[in-house]
Amino acid sequence: MRQTSWTLALALLAAPGAAIAQATPDLGANLERFDYPYPVRWFETQAQGDAVRMAYLDVAATTRANGTTVVLLHGKNFCAATWGDTIRDLAARGYRVIAPDQIGFCKSSKPAGFQYSFHALAALTAGLLDQAGVKRVALVGHSTGGVLATRFALLYRERVARLVLVNPLGLNDTLAEGVPYTPLDGLRAEEAKTSADTIKAYQLRNYYHGAWRPAYDRWVAMLAGQCASPDGNIVREAQARLSDMIETQPVAAELPQVKVPVTLIIGQQDKTAFRANTAPEAIRGRVRTVPQAAETAVKAFPDAQLVRLPALGHSPMVEDPATFHAALAAALQRGE
């Protein structure tokens, strides 16, 4: 049986003693050779003088529709495909589900010189929803997608019925807590060293609290396979610019202005503290992790609740879908 590129990537990741960085198959700078769990649709528009297109999944309810559309926003090291199990669960509960790849990520465009901001990504997401005929949504954001979801709720209050933040970044200002600003050239130099090995090591340490499962290899292959393309430098440049966006545009100071109901779903084993590893060792401990920042943030939102998942880390939808889906379903029904 012929292997797809990503299944071959998984085999290489699992091979004992494999030289992973050199062996990673080319999945295409826009993941042309990586299968998504549902048909990919496209939103084509203009942004900053370039023609761009956003990939997205749009899945109808598989049981009696409840009239609510849930929008799922991925993190920096994730794609719309990462939400596959969650989409299936939500559709079975009667929701229509839309999951985009943001500009700069995954299957979507990565225009040269693009000035990334959460404002710009929110505006593009609003345009995608206009094309899809969706006015008001339940908005779910994970990791970097949590920053974007919060920004969207600030910009488009009338379009958001409720906000669910899953291990989000941006709830604390890590630069103010001691992380030194890294200029774009420094971020580029870091991205040049990225490989399947470094991706897996980072996720093992920060996301999965030292417990790796073979199912996670698919997501490592997804990320590393983009950079293995002959156009891999386009991906690396986008990733560097996106890191600059994340480090300089937290939403921590604006949480009191979020007027929609908020649920924070936080895997308590998450060790993520964005770029804390670059801080001087003496103050590194002052940079709050996502769970630590959430404890303060829940009090800053006007209407928020905190759901703690004690045994899970940064990616609860990947690590334990059943537990996460139960928490998400409860959050979406809150106040109904």
Side-chain angles (χ1 to χ4, degrees):
M1 181 181 294
R2 184 177 64 86
Q3 288 181 306
T4 63
S5 294
W6 76 262
T7 54
L8 178 57
L10 296 190
L12 290 166
L13 280 166
I20 295 173
Q22 289 75 23
T24 302
D26 166 16
L27 298 181
N30 293 326
L31 286 180
E32 294 90 343
R33 288 172 290 282
F34 185 87
D35 294 333
Y36 275 27
Y38 296 95
V40 175
R41 305 189 186 197
W42 299 98
F43 169 55
E44 299 186 3
T45 188
Q46 292 281 323
Q48 301 181 18
D50 287 309
V52 298
R53 64 179 193 161
M54 289 176 66
Y56 69 101
L57 307 178
D58 188 348
V59 180
T62 54
T63 188
R64 183 176 180 178
N66 61 25
T68 298
T69 298
V70 179
V71 175
L72 304 173
L73 302 179
H74 64 79
K76 181 177 183 288
N77 293 326
F78 306 87
C79 297
T82 317
W83 291 111
D85 288 341
T86 303
I87 293 171
R88 187 176 305 108
D89 182 83
L90 290 172
R93 296 177 190 266
Y95 294 100
R96 176 185 178 184
V97 188
I98 294 176
D101 279 345
Q102 295 298 322
I103 293 298
F105 294 91
C106 309
K107 288 184 179 289
S108 292
S109 299
K110 302 165 183 66
F114 196 80
Q115 184 172 330
Y116 290 98
S117 72
F118 288 110
H119 289 74
L121 298 185
L124 286 163
T125 302
L128 184 154
L129 294 178
D130 289 341
Q131 174 181 283
V134 178
K135 298 299 183 185
R136 202 156 185 254
V137 304
L139 192 58
V140 180
H142 169 237
S143 191
T144 297
V147 189
L148 176 56
T150 305
R151 177 57 59 200
F152 190 100
L154 288 164
L155 292 173
Y156 303 101
R157 165 65 184 88
E158 71 286 353
R159 302 194 71 162
V160 181
R162 64 192 66 255
L163 181 63
V164 181
L165 303 177
V166 183
N167 287 76
L169 303 184
L171 299 182
N172 55 321
D173 185 341
T174 55
L175 293 182
E177 292 180 355
V179 173
Y181 171 69
T182 302
L184 186 57
D185 283 347
L187 296 171
R188 286 171 174 146
E190 291 179 12
E191 289 295 338
K193 301 175 183 177
T194 298
S195 67
D197 287 321
T198 64
I199 293 167
K200 183 172 181 176
Y202 175 83
Q203 294 191 3
L204 175 64
R205 180 176 64 252
N206 292 296
Y207 291 5
Y208 302 116
H209 39 100
W212 193 262
R213 298 174 186 166
Y216 305 157
D217 287 335
R218 169 174 167 82
W219 310 119
V220 174
M222 176 183 72
L223 298 175
Q226 294 178 79
C227 294
S229 160
D231 293 323
N233 284 339
I234 294 174
V235 179
R236 295 177 190 277
E237 176 69 12
Q239 289 292 298
R241 289 175 177 267
L242 289 160
S243 288
D244 180 85
M245 175 186 75
I246 298 165
E247 70 175 338
T248 58
Q249 298 176 34
V251 288
E254 297 172 81
L255 302 185
Q257 300 173 36
V258 177
K259 303 305 182 184
V260 302
V262 178
T263 301
L264 294 158
I265 301 178
I266 309 295
Q268 297 294 295
Q269 300 302 315
D270 187 2
K271 301 300 188 292
T272 303
F274 190 71
R275 299 192 60 75
N277 63 305
T278 67
E281 188 171 353
I283 63 173
R284 198 169 297 170
R286 301 179 197 169
V287 184
R288 286 177 291 168
T289 64
V290 169
Q292 291 169 339
E295 295 292 332
T296 302
V298 70
K299 302 172 187 175
F301 288 110
D303 180 7
Q305 67 174 7
L306 175 59
V307 178
R308 301 176 184 86
L309 304 180
L312 303 182
H314 187 69
S315 304
M317 76 291 291
V318 174
E319 191 176 1
D320 185 349
T323 297
F324 171 71
H325 294 156
L328 178 59
L332 293 173
Q333 293 165 6
R334 179 185 171 213
E336 292 184 355

